[in-house]
Amino acid sequence: MTSPTRDRPAETPGTTYRLQLHGGFTLDDARAVVPYLAALGVTTCYCSPVFTAKPGSTHGYDVSRHTEINPELGGEAAFEAFAEALAASGMRLLLDFVPNHMSNDPRTNLWWRDVLENGPSSPFARYFDVDWDPVKTELTDRLLLPILGEQYGEALERGALRLTFDDGALELAYGDLLVPINPRRAPLVLAFDIEALEQTLGPDHADMREFLSVLTALRNLPPYTERDPAQIAERHREKAVARERLAALAARSDAVRAHIERAVAAFNGTPGDPASFDRLHELLELQAYRLASWRTASDEINYRRFFDINELAGLRVEDPEVFDEIHRLLLDLIASGKAAGVRLDHVDGLFDPQGYLLRLRDALASRSQEAGRAYVVVEKILSAGEGLRSDWPVAGTTGYTFLNDVNGVLVDGRQAKRLQRIRARFVGRQETFADVAYDSKRLIVSTALSSEFQVLTQAVNRLSEHDRRARDFTLGSIRRALREVVACFPVYRTYVTPAGATAADGEAVDLAVAEARRRNPAVESSIFDFLRAVLLPSATPDRPAPPGAMAVAMRVQQYTAPVQAKGVEDTACYRYVVLASLNEVGGEPSRFGRTVHEFHAANLARRRDWPGEMLASTTHDTKRSEDARARITALSEMPDAWQAAVLRWRRMNGPNRTRLGGTQAPDPNDEYLFYQTLVGAWPPELAVEEVPRQAPADLVARLAAYMHKAIKEAKLHTSWITPNAEYETAVASFVERTLTGRTAPAFLASFVPFVRRASLPGMVNALAQLVLKIVSPGVADFYQGTELWDLSLVDPDNRRPVDWPRRQALLDELNPWLSDATPARAGGHVPGRPAAVADWVAAWPDGRIKLFLTALGARLRRERPALFLDGAYEPLAAVGGYAEHVVAFARHLEGQTLVAVVPRLTSRVADREHGLPLGDAWGETAVALPATCRGRRLRDLVTGARLDAVNGPDDGPPRLPVSRILAVCPVALLWLEEARDAVEPARGVLE
């Protein structure tokens, strides 16, 4: 047993339930499902971002205003009503917040719009991570704006770029985007053919004089390159006055308005006449931005993005003013009690994550005592052997570590080499995941994130010029060596600050440098010594750190995180697939499974270090849902059957592939991923029904969309940057032909029996991971809709609408059986519940068994939160022939004991009648119970059965046969009854 070494926040939830908000599921819609969530047992509703996002956003991470509730979600009134409904139901609200970046859509992001209009002189220029002095001198004091879908010249000369005039200002329209025009250069347009206006009005006309006065005021504005605060203030004051005067004049003077319209038309040019666009081109060259094709961003963009997404601009949240502005509403919502905590998105993207978290902690505490107790978790992906920084003032991460631990313990690690050989035979090559990840990260550095890398290379080169031992390193040699170190980084990033580096930081850098050396034996070793000093800057008497060294080190570590994410999760995990369930966010495809001991060790460590951490099994970011992952994991238990099946399918579907030059589409790697994905996504009801002649149309469309994304992410034959329409069409055709074409009946006749066989251990895996999530230390997190079977794939597939009425109806049906299923209702046993549970297990495709266990677990956590958040954790051993197939542990607190028992690797345990690991299939295998169970009775909260512990041999711990624990249901939750709890068991199938 262990006790925690860290206090958990007072507002720590018992459970969280994630809702994805968007225009099709608003805050009013969320309010409508609050009664259902309360009945389910949820303690905290956990919502995707509620702050104003880019118009039409389906996820909310493209925030454009942190200072208001998104009108597309219903705005402030809807939020207030939602918060009130949660409070009335006894639930709290966890908000998702994005401190790292914003949408740069100028329609709604007024800060970014101001930067486009005023460049470095914008008061908001400091809000964004813009390099106003980039390597490309043509971009000095200008922002590269890669918004065009074609080359700039093509867009210009076909008339896609059009000037408009509205409310006293000129704007540039491109599609539905409106980009401001530098007001100081507006007279170039407004004064065009001004003689004609003067002839119309006369030189002394009041409107003419006013128009000329406005033009003079605009020409006299300080330039957008001005940095002097007084000049900046003057520019902003006077441009606003001039705009108001011009708007008023155009509104009252038909002649002035007509003149402006003629001038704008003259600048807009005539398609087919290239020379007619010269004026507009000259005007655009004088703006604070440079319009460009989206393709230029990879090499020349000079603002930090979220990964490689041009539409998301990085925020300088390390600036106190920026921090205060974007957090004002969030802090208000927490301080007022409308929200109980916050999930922080992409914390690794920040310049100084620890500094940010400390500032947030202080800001919360300064608002109110209650706000200071808020629950704060971070989206942080931990790599192999990496722990969350102990000095971060948070409750933990959002749960990807647990997700991979719980999946890992259900994987048959003994089959690693067997499955690797099967994959190698299918794809025709042998390789390691480490090599694939290395190659993928080098590709990302050279393509998608090339522009950021060039900036870092120049910065490191400047440092070398200040070091006489390093000044002979050329820019090219630094570029090559730095790319290698970044590609070999073993973790997302380090966290070096002026306060120093931790041992973990040093270890990560040393591993990266050593691996880069190993992979590049011909490169001069001393350059790697220099880069190590750059990444771990510390002044020593014999080698003082050059000026700016710390800033460069912090920028490099801010860069390695997106390289890791894009290179590993979004490239390598689509290139190297042995068992697709391992290719998950935060996963380690090279680590094939976990032992039971390793799973317990991870739970004990979380109980000790991060007792309030979230426990996830599906999120909005996972590559596939928990149930799809659980079924694919079952393939590790049947390698021989899998090999025979997948080789047979390849032969059968040969006619469905397309010959493209010297290759076939899909290639073997993509086809191998397709078959595993199909196994994971095949609907439960179709796994038990008669074999169809064609797959359902909606499934075909989903799989085609998934494969389209997968092949682009793999970046081997096509990509988002350089599409290959032929290959994409061929893969889509393969999916359709395989599932609906001429060969489909024969293929499905082979596929469906196989997936039927995999579905049973997959279902058991899914129930096992559900129970382990419910009882493990931490906060159990549920993703919307996953209380029933959910076989979703990567986004946007996992954001499909949830059928709430169906879930409510099924929960209503189960409620009578749930009424006595918690310790507090021990006396209310409903006769016949074991038989009902047996029916739900037998009819598992309808999802009732999963919903029952979810509601049981959530209500149990709500009833006894301290047991799960503070209770001690005791691993329990199994003995007997199938001991390695059992995971069991107990949670203890103040006389309360709950024991979780679940099976693993059950294909060899399943009984012949049901194909499930039930009853006598377990033989003499037993669980050694806690000593406190000696001579006591336990009640299975799932079935209601009473079970008496028996004494172990030689005065050992008491035991319970697994055959009795899992007589009806593949999982069990055993409650140690007090004498006052025990009642005579109702007669039923277990008596």
Side-chain angles (χ1 to χ4, degrees):
M1 300 184 191
T2 62
S3 297
T5 57
R6 173 187 295 270
D7 293 334
R8 61 176 178 81
E11 295 292 344
T12 302
T15 57
T16 52
Y17 190 101
R18 172 80 174 198
L19 292 177
Q20 290 293 115
L21 303 172
H22 48 80
F25 187 78
T26 66
L27 287 162
D28 286 337
D29 297 317
R31 177 163 54 90
V33 302
V34 166
Y36 165 74
L37 298 181
L40 192 63
V42 173
T43 68
T44 300
C45 187
Y46 160 37
C47 292
S48 61
V50 299
F51 306 99
T52 296
K54 178 180 178 180
S57 175
T58 60
H59 48 75
Y61 287 99
D62 41 6
V63 178
S64 59
R65 296 180 190 173
H66 292 83
T67 52
E68 71 176 9
I69 303 296
N70 194 344
E72 290 190 0
L73 301 182
E76 183 178 356
F79 179 84
E80 294 285 341
F82 176 54
E84 290 174 4
L86 288 173
S89 296
M91 285 190 284
R92 306 302 302 272
L93 176 63
L94 179 67
L95 293 175
D96 198 341
F97 188 74
V98 187
N100 174 68
H101 56 267
M102 293 181 73
S103 163
N104 57 15
D105 189 324
R107 292 173 296 178
T108 52
N109 188 338
L110 302 184
W111 296 345
W112 185 258
R113 181 180 181 82
D114 197 277
V115 173
L116 295 180
E117 183 178 71
N118 301 295
S121 73
S122 168
F124 304 108
R126 63 189 286 189
Y127 282 38
F128 301 98
D129 230 339
V130 180
D131 181 6
W132 296 107
D133 186 22
V135 175
K136 188 179 178 73
T137 56
E138 292 87 348
L139 289 173
T140 299
D141 287 333
R142 300 181 73 189
L143 189 71
L144 185 74
L145 199 58
I147 62 173
L148 305 180
E150 58 202 307
Q151 295 292 328
Y152 163 74
E154 295 175 4
L156 180 73
E157 293 178 11
R158 74 174 180 86
L161 302 172
R162 310 285 293 176
L163 280 180
T164 66
F165 177 81
D166 182 56
D167 194 27
L170 290 171
E171 294 180 307
L172 183 74
Y174 177 71
D176 57 357
L177 291 178
L178 287 173
V179 183
I181 292 293
N182 176 8
R184 189 170 185 262
R185 299 301 185 177
L188 292 176
V189 179
L190 300 175
F192 177 77
D193 197 20
I194 198 169
E195 296 80 8
L197 177 62
E198 191 171 24
Q199 289 178 3
T200 300
L201 290 177
D204 295 326
H205 192 284
D207 289 347
M208 189 69 208
R209 292 199 305 271
E210 173 66 359
F211 188 62
L212 292 173
S213 176
V214 170
L215 294 185
T216 299
L218 290 172
R219 290 190 183 102
N220 289 333
L221 290 174
Y224 74 75
T225 56
E226 186 61 66
R227 262 73 167 188
D228 179 71
Q231 291 290 295
I232 291 175
E234 178 183 332
R235 175 183 170 91
H236 282 264
R237 180 181 65 248
E238 295 305 320
K239 75 178 179 67
V241 172
R243 177 172 183 167
E244 292 169 2
R245 290 170 61 192
L246 186 56
L249 177 60
R252 71 173 182 261
S253 172
D254 292 340
V256 171
R257 186 170 60 255
H259 164 76
I260 294 174
E261 290 172 353
R262 286 193 301 272
V264 166
F267 268 70
N268 279 334
T270 303
D273 180 6
S276 67
F277 293 97
D278 290 350
R279 297 187 190 93
L280 181 56
H281 171 64
E282 292 169 4
L283 176 69
L284 294 179
E285 288 295 281
L286 297 171
Q287 302 308 305
Y289 49 82
R290 176 179 172 132
L291 292 169
S293 163
W294 64 273
R295 294 177 182 274
T296 65
S298 295
D299 292 322
E300 295 185 349
I301 202 163
N302 61 333
Y303 63 87
R304 183 173 62 86
R305 303 164 290 172
F306 173 67
F307 296 165
D308 58 347
I309 303 175
N310 298 339
E311 295 78 17
L312 298 176
L315 282 165
R316 296 186 64 250
V317 74
E318 65 270 18
D319 185 311
E321 181 180 323
V322 179
F323 179 93
D324 291 343
E325 282 295 320
I326 70 171
H327 288 84
R328 182 178 298 112
L329 179 55
L330 173 69
L331 295 173
D332 286 345
L333 294 176
I334 294 176
S336 65
K338 294 170 185 173
V342 58
R343 177 256 195 199
L344 297 167
D345 181 66
H346 190 48
V347 71
D348 272 347
L350 303 179
F351 184 64
D352 179 10
Q354 183 192 24
Y356 166 80
L357 293 169
L358 291 172
R359 185 176 291 117
L360 178 63
R361 179 197 63 186
D362 294 343
L364 287 167
S366 69
R367 289 301 184 101
S368 68
Q369 185 177 7
E370 181 176 294
R373 297 196 299 265
Y375 178 69
V376 179
V377 289
V378 291
E379 185 208 27
K380 162 63 185 166
I381 309 303
L382 296 169
S383 301
E386 183 185 15
L388 187 62
R389 299 296 165 118
S390 60
D391 52 0
W392 284 10
V394 298
T397 72
T398 52
Y400 288 112
T401 301
F402 175 81
L403 181 153
N404 286 288
D405 284 339
V406 75
N407 180 67
V409 80
L410 301 174
V411 170
D412 190 347
R414 298 167 303 183
Q415 304 302 331
K417 293 187 183 300
R418 182 84 174 94
L419 286 168
Q420 287 164 358
R421 287 195 297 270
I422 295 171
R423 186 255 181 188
R425 177 180 176 184
F426 193 98
V427 304
R429 63 181 182 272
Q430 286 187 330
E431 55 197 347
T432 67
F433 182 75
D435 287 339
V436 174
Y438 165 76
D439 290 339
S440 299
K441 290 165 73 173
R442 290 178 84 250
L443 175 68
I444 294 301
V445 171
S446 301
T447 56
L449 297 177
S450 173
S451 57
E452 292 89 342
F453 182 69
Q454 300 305 327
V455 172
L456 291 177
T457 300
Q458 291 287 341
V460 174
N461 183 62
R462 286 192 290 269
L463 290 181
S464 74
E465 293 297 325
H466 291 278
D467 186 341
R468 63 178 180 236
R469 303 180 194 177
R471 74 175 193 177
D472 286 350
F473 297 141
T474 65
L475 179 62
S477 65
I478 289 174
R479 179 185 298 112
R480 289 188 293 272
L482 181 60
R483 180 184 62 190
E484 292 302 304
V485 171
V486 170
C488 294
F489 231 72
V491 294
Y492 270 64
R493 61 169 288 171
T494 51
Y495 301 91
V496 177
T497 69
T502 66
D505 294 326
E507 181 180 355
V509 171
D510 286 341
L511 286 171
V513 169
E515 181 65 6
R517 273 199 179 100
R518 186 188 71 80
R519 289 183 178 273
N520 298 273
V523 174
E524 184 180 350
S525 183
S526 62
I527 197 169
F528 291 117
D529 294 331
F530 167 67
L531 289 178
R532 182 188 185 281
V534 168
L535 297 176
L536 296 170
S538 59
T540 60
D542 64 324
R543 193 166 190 167
M550 181 57 66
V552 173
M554 294 179 74
R555 287 299 180 195
V556 172
Q557 63 191 9
Q558 195 176 18
Y559 177 73
T560 59
V563 171
Q564 180 85 353
K566 295 299 296 181
V568 177
E569 291 175 21
D570 293 344
T571 304
C573 281
Y574 290 96
R575 291 183 170 192
Y576 179 93
V577 181
V578 173
L579 189 66
S581 59
L582 300 177
N583 294 34
E584 193 49 85
V585 179
E588 306 160 48
S590 57
R591 184 182 180 185
F592 207 89
R594 311 280 198 276
T595 66
V596 175
H597 174 76
E598 288 172 328
F599 177 78
H600 286 315
N603 267 353
L604 286 165
R606 186 183 315 104
R607 169 72 183 84
R608 181 188 67 237
D609 300 330
W610 303 101
E613 185 164 73
M614 291 177 77
L615 310 174
S617 47
T618 299
T619 77
H620 59 286
D621 274 339
T622 44
K623 302 301 182 184
R624 50 196 55 81
S625 67
E626 58 197 53
D627 298 328
R629 193 182 315 115
R631 189 187 291 170
I632 293 171
T633 288
L635 297 179
S636 70
E637 303 179 46
M638 49 185 72
D640 292 338
W642 167 246
Q643 176 175 257
V646 77
L647 293 177
R648 184 185 318 119
W649 300 338
R650 181 169 67 175
R651 291 192 299 271
M652 296 174 70
N653 291 319
N656 300 332
R657 291 189 286 272
T658 301
R659 173 69 62 176
L660 296 177
T663 63
Q664 286 192 327
D667 76 359
N669 181 74
D670 294 335
E671 187 174 353
Y672 198 66
L673 173 61
F674 168 73
Y675 292 134
Q676 289 202 29
T677 302
L678 184 61
V679 168
W682 192 258
E685 63 276 10
L686 295 184
V688 296
E689 294 176 355
E690 292 186 6
V691 177
R693 294 186 61 79
Q694 291 187 342
D698 64 328
L699 178 63
V700 177
R702 289 174 53 215
L703 286 163
Y706 171 82
M707 290 304 299
H708 178 79
K709 181 169 184 173
I711 60 178
K712 281 184 173 291
E713 296 286 21
K715 306 172 188 67
L716 289 170
H717 304 285
T718 184
S719 69
W720 301 111
I721 296 176
T722 309
N724 180 342
E726 280 190 322
Y727 190 82
E728 293 169 16
T729 300
V731 172
S733 175
F734 175 82
V735 173
E736 184 173 359
R737 290 174 182 175
T738 296
L739 297 178
T740 65
R742 180 176 54 83
T743 62
F747 168 69
L748 293 176
S750 171
F751 172 78
V752 172
F754 177 85
V755 80
R756 183 179 296 147
R757 176 179 173 183
S759 291
L760 283 175
M763 178 269 290
V764 174
N765 283 345
L767 297 185
Q769 75 179 350
L770 172 61
V771 168
L772 293 177
K773 178 173 71 174
I774 288 168
V775 189
S776 288
V779 176
D781 176 52
F782 300 90
Y783 184 72
Q784 62 176 27
T786 56
E787 58 272 28
L788 292 182
W789 301 121
D790 185 282
L791 299 169
S792 296
L793 305 172
V794 72
D795 68 284
D797 192 63
N798 60 14
R799 295 200 297 267
R800 288 172 295 145
V802 175
D803 187 346
W804 300 108
R806 177 170 177 251
R807 283 160 176 76
Q808 180 67 69
L810 287 175
L811 185 60
D812 290 343
E813 177 187 333
L814 295 175
N815 262 329
W817 305 106
L818 287 162
S819 63
D820 74 325
T822 60
R825 299 181 178 273
H829 181 72
V830 178
R833 182 145 59 91
V837 172
D839 288 343
W840 303 333
V841 172
W844 67 269
D846 65 22
R848 286 178 297 171
I849 183 61
K850 189 180 183 190
L851 178 60
F852 176 79
L853 289 170
T854 301
L856 170 62
R859 293 181 184 189
L860 186 59
R861 274 183 160 262
R862 182 173 60 188
E863 178 186 298
R864 314 231 172 181
L867 174 63
F868 300 96
L869 296 173
D870 300 324
Y873 183 96
E874 182 182 1
L876 301 178
V879 295
Y882 292 116
E884 65 174 337
H885 297 269
V886 178
V887 182
F889 59 90
R891 302 301 306 277
H892 304 280
L893 182 72
E894 298 174 353
Q896 305 171 77
T897 293
L898 179 69
V899 174
V901 180
V902 304
R904 63 187 289 265
L905 315 181
T906 57
S907 294
R908 290 197 293 122
V909 185
D911 66 79
R912 294 182 179 180
E913 180 181 357
H914 305 98
L916 294 171
L918 299 176
D920 292 340
W922 288 97
E924 299 302 315
T925 305
V927 173
L929 297 172
T932 53
C933 295
R934 190 181 303 278
R936 304 274 294 280
R937 172 170 287 182
L938 295 97
R939 181 164 60 93
D940 184 2
L941 299 179
V942 177
T943 65
R946 266 68 177 195
L947 304 169
D948 292 317
V950 297
N951 292 331
D954 301 324
D955 249 1
R959 296 180 177 183
L960 262 179
V962 178
S963 60
R964 296 194 62 208
I965 299 173
L966 304 183
V968 171
C969 184
V971 295
L973 292 168
L974 308 178
W975 181 258
L976 182 61
E977 293 186 334
E978 298 289 344
R980 53 186 169 80
D981 290 336
V983 296
E984 286 302 314
R987 296 191 177 276
V989 297
L990 295 182
E991 297 306 316

